[in-house]
Amino acid sequence: STVSLEREIAVCDHPRTLSTDGARVLVACQDSSEIAVLDAASLASIATIPLDMGTPGVRPFGVVHDPRGGHAYVALQDA
């Protein structure tokens, strides 16, 4: 089996990791300190979640959905 690129989507500067629960795709946007939320079917942007939390320079490093549903977890770099 061969993996191939089907398309690229501009989401943010320096996207680091992504996770999907089947309905949404979450993208850790390292340079903008936010999580981009996309609709998994259309890949359209639905929301942006800021992560600055009053601490300048906090950058999301990883994001993962809880397989039980309802939650996602973000690992922060330089927090």
Side-chain angles (χ1 to χ4, degrees), residues 16-74:
R16 179 70 186 171
T17 56
L18 62 88
S19 179
T20 184
D21 64 359
R24 293 172 307 239
V25 177
L26 303 179
V27 181
C29 301
Q30 233 180 6
D31 288 350
S32 55
S33 296
E34 60 193 17
I35 299 296
V37 184
L38 309 175
D39 177 78
S42 68
L43 298 177
S45 178
I46 335 177
T48 302
I49 304 168
L51 297 175
D52 65 7
M53 302 177 303
T55 307
V58 170
R59 302 176 342 149
F61 186 78
V63 61
V64 64
H65 277 90
D66 185 330
R68 295 170 291 189
H71 293 83
Y73 300 93
V74 178

